[in-house]
């Protein structure tokens, strides 16, 4: 009997998009239909949308991650822990740091990277909220500044200043956590809370651009009440070893000294996209409606590496976990169709279920199914959304292990 070669599907990245594609594919396809290979840098998946908590130190980093092998079916999926270096599209090959893999079908779900827009010094001196490693480093750095303050004979209050670049989603959520964490740090290290400054610098004319103005006002006033200083319409011109230079319009740049500078103002697609010679805008590939890369019928791109236009406003959708997961569902369906030689592929259509932005442990703002929410109600919804992401990938048992149940 001749044994037919099974098609090989390689999925790059085990974030929201890649892992959801994998768990759906393992459900849709039988063992004999395809070889499925999942490649990820780490042995674990992390909840990118919870990294602001790990970065501020309000949630331990082990709470935001879980082992990939716990949610995949090892009879159907081979997991390779490895770092992707480049994709060779002509030879249908993925180059890893420690080897290479060929593919028949490829799913690129490698997530995003900070976009620094060429601002001098940001790469060298600013911290990012990007993955478990960067979050752990940021948390440790802030704690180190507090621990060092009372060790010095001549006290340097700027050591206790924290600048957050960007009042978008990530910046605002991180500020919310900081306002919970700083009082704890002050108590732990015997520091007068009035010595601490938390400054948010945003170049756009408003915080949370694109969000409902009433909810933005709520968020800003809540954070201001807890001590955050907002510099809106102000651009960071440079990061230095001692802080940042900022300017409003054509003003001369002025210095804000700070022991910690965090850049939370921009996301681009993974640089591997450009390195591999794919056409992209800031590392994001404008995909076809079936989520394939134009010109490559066997390559799908999802999550932060993909770009989809919101036809209503003729602008790209901002990259979110919500979109990445919905894309994962469609890609799994489309791969199963291709493998079974079914000609009709599904078209991706974003189903916006709403957005919730946390403002710390028990406060948030959000629009859910068209309804505006603030305070504890919104915070409850945020935890429901977080638990739902766990449920979609690992079912009830993952929710029980990693879920958030501090609803009050
Ligand atoms: C603090 C914060 C809060 C957010 N809050 C929300 C929110 O409330 N709601 C929302 O919808 N979105 C939110 N987002 C955005 C959301 O997290 C991203 O849009 C989403 O994670 C994108 O999913 P993805 O699958 O493309 O990538 P990711 O989930 O980031 O996963 C990418 C995976 O690829 C792996 N990887 C990267 N490079 C390599 C490589 N070279 N080799 C191998 N593996 C690699 C990574 O380790 C990771 O596992 C937030 C983002 C941040 C930072």
């Amino acid at each position: 009997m001749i044994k037919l070669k099974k098609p090989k599907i390689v999925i790059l990245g085990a974030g929201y998009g890649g892992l959801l594609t994998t768990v759906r594919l393992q459900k849709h396809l039988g063992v004999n239909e395809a070889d499925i290979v999942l490649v990820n840098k780490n042995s674990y998946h992390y909840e990118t949308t919870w990294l602001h908590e790990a970065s501020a130190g309000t949630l331990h980093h082990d709470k935001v991650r879980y082992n990939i092998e716990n949610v995949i079916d090892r009879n159907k999926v081979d997991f390779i822990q490895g770092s992707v270096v480049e994709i060779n599209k002509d030879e249908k090959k993925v180059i890893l740091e420690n080897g290479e893999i060929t593919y028949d079908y490829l799913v690129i779900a490698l997530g995003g990277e900070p976009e620094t827009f060429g601002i001098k010094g940001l790469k060298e001196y600013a911290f990012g909220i990007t993955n478990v490693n960067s979050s752990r480093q940021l948390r440790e750095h802030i704690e180190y500044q507090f621990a060092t303050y009372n060790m010095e004979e001549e006290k340097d209050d700027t050591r206790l200043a924290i600048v957050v670049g960007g009042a978008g989603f990530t910046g605002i959520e991180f500020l919310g956590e900081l306002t919970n964490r700083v009082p704890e740090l002050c108590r732990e290290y015997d520091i007068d809370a009035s010595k601490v400054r938390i400054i948010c610098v945003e170049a756009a004319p408003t915080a949370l651009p694109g969000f409902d103005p009433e909810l933005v006002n709520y968020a800003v006033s809540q954070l201001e009440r807890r001590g955050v200083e907002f510099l809106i319409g102000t651009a960071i011109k440079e990061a230095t070893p001692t802080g940042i230079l900022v300017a409003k319009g054509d003003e001369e740049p002025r210095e804000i000294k700070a022991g910690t500078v965090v850049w939370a103002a921009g996301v681009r697609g993974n640089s591997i996209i450009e390195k591999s010679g794919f056409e992209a805008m800031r590392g994001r590939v404008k995909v076809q409606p079936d989520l394939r890369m134009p010109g490559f019928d066997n390559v799908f791109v999802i999550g932060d590496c993909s770009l989809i236009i919101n036809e209503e406003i003729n602008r790209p959708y901002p990259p979110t976990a919500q979109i990445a997961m919905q894309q994962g569902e469609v890609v799994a369906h489309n791969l199963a169709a291709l493998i079974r030689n079914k000609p009709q592929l599904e078209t991706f259509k974003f189903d916006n279920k709403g957005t919730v932005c946390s403002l710390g442990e028990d406060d948030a703002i959000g629009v859910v199914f068209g309804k505006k929410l603030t305070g504890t109600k919104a915070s409850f919804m945020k935890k429901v959304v977080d638990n739902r992401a766990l449920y979609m990938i690992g079912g009830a048992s993952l929710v029980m292990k990693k879920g958030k149940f501090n609803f009050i």
Side-chain angles (χ1 to χ4, degrees):
M1 195 177 83
I2 304 165
K3 212 171 165 215
L4 288 175
K5 188 181 164 287
K6 285 188 279 181
K8 186 168 170 187
I9 302 170
V10 174
I11 300 154
L12 305 180
Y16 292 103
L19 203 47
L20 197 87
T21 305
T22 309
V23 297
R24 290 295 180 267
L25 266 181
Q26 72 190 16
K27 215 161 129 191
H28 293 332
L29 293 178
V31 184
N32 296 321
E33 286 187 285
D35 287 325
I36 305 170
V37 180
L38 173 65
V39 181
N40 194 63
K41 203 178 263 184
N42 309 300
S43 59
Y44 57 84
H45 160 94
Y46 52 83
E47 297 291 304
T48 311
T49 62
W50 304 10
L51 287 177
H52 54 289
E53 297 168 78
S55 302
T58 47
L59 190 67
H60 192 271
H61 56 266
D62 280 340
K63 288 288 279 181
V64 313
R65 63 178 174 176
Y66 55 83
N67 273 340
I68 291 165
E69 298 222 326
N70 290 350
V71 293
I72 58 172
D73 177 347
R74 275 171 275 175
N75 293 318
K76 289 186 177 173
V77 179
D78 279 331
F79 173 61
I80 297 180
Q81 187 183 343
S83 278
V84 177
V85 178
E86 200 174 336
I87 299 157
N88 183 332
K89 49 194 185 298
D90 301 321
E91 293 179 29
K92 294 189 188 169
K93 220 161 47 179
V94 178
I95 320 296
L96 304 179
E97 243 168 34
N98 52 357
E100 49 184 55
I101 327 163
T102 55
Y103 61 83
D104 297 304
Y105 296 99
L106 185 68
V107 181
I108 306 176
L110 291 166
E113 289 176 7
E115 172 62 271
T116 53
F117 306 106
I119 298 170
K120 204 170 150 198
L122 275 181
K123 278 199 179 119
E124 294 81 3
Y125 305 119
F127 291 85
I129 303 177
T130 317
N131 52 41
V132 168
N133 292 332
S134 72
S135 296
R136 199 160 38 192
Q137 186 196 31
L138 173 53
R139 180 203 69 202
E140 282 298 303
H141 174 84
I142 294 173
E143 184 148 359
Y144 174 82
Q145 298 292 9
F146 279 70
T148 307
Y149 182 76
N150 277 329
M151 297 285 292
E152 291 173 320
E153 244 168 64
E154 210 171 297
K155 303 268 181 295
D156 175 10
D157 291 0
T158 67
R159 191 181 273 291
L160 303 176
I162 304 168
V163 166
V164 177
F169 224 80
T170 305
I172 292 289
E173 291 203 317
F174 179 60
L175 288 164
E177 296 305 314
L178 272 184
T179 61
N180 289 151
R181 179 69 178 139
V182 162
E184 284 174 7
L185 286 171
C186 288
R187 271 194 298 279
E188 188 168 349
Y189 293 103
D190 306 321
I191 288 170
D192 173 357
S194 69
K195 302 269 181 218
V196 182
R197 283 183 79 191
I198 305 175
I199 306 143
C200 176
V201 184
E202 168 59 59
T206 169
L208 291 168
F211 225 72
D212 180 276
E214 197 187 329
L215 296 178
V216 175
N217 282 343
Y218 175 89
V220 169
S221 58
Q222 285 293 85
L223 293 172
E224 279 180 337
R225 208 173 45 80
R226 296 185 222 152
V228 177
E229 301 166 43
F230 281 93
L231 300 177
I232 300 291
T234 306
I236 294 186
K237 296 291 181 190
E238 188 178 335
T240 67
T242 52
I244 50 164
L245 299 179
V246 297
K248 229 180 167 135
D250 296 333
E251 273 175 8
E252 266 303 294
R254 65 184 172 95
E255 189 180 16
I256 300 176
K257 285 192 187 288
T260 307
V261 176
V262 182
W263 181 243
V267 185
R268 63 180 329 282
N270 198 302
S271 48
I272 285 167
I273 296 280
E274 283 136 345
K275 198 173 163 199
S276 307
F278 294 119
E279 201 175 306
M281 283 178 256
R282 293 215 174 99
R284 300 175 73 196
V285 176
K286 191 166 175 218
V287 287
Q288 297 175 173
D290 59 17
L291 302 178
R292 285 188 287 186
M293 183 182 284
F296 295 89
D297 279 354
N298 59 338
V299 180
F300 291 86
V301 190
I302 58 173
D304 288 3
C305 291
S306 71
L307 187 142
I308 294 181
I309 300 291
N310 177 353
E311 305 290 351
E312 279 172 30
I313 52 169
N314 202 25
R315 289 185 60 143
Y317 282 110
T320 62
Q322 192 182 170
I323 290 189
M325 293 180 93
Q326 290 182 17
Q327 289 176 321
E329 301 268 10
V330 172
V331 167
H333 176 277
N334 286 349
L335 278 166
L338 286 172
I339 280 168
R340 291 172 183 154
N341 287 321
K342 291 192 181 152
Q344 202 59 41
L345 297 194
E346 209 175 280
T347 293
F348 175 76
K349 191 153 185 353
F350 177 46
D351 174 16
N352 190 352
K353 299 202 186 306
T355 314
V356 190
C357 176
S358 132
L359 303 172
E361 206 204 331
D362 52 7
D363 199 1
I365 52 169
V367 181
V368 182
F369 297 117
K371 204 168 172 264
K372 286 192 226 177
L373 298 174
T374 56
T376 48
K377 275 189 195 154
S379 174
F380 174 85
M381 274 317 294
K382 179 79 182 173
K383 285 158 194 161
V384 170
V385 171
D386 287 350
N387 290 344
R388 182 175 179 269
L390 294 173
Y391 182 78
M392 285 177 72
I393 288 174
S397 65
L398 188 60
V399 179
M400 293 316 288
K401 262 191 237 147
K402 295 283 171 180
K404 293 182 177 171
F405 299 105
N406 51 334
F407 285 123
I408 305 152

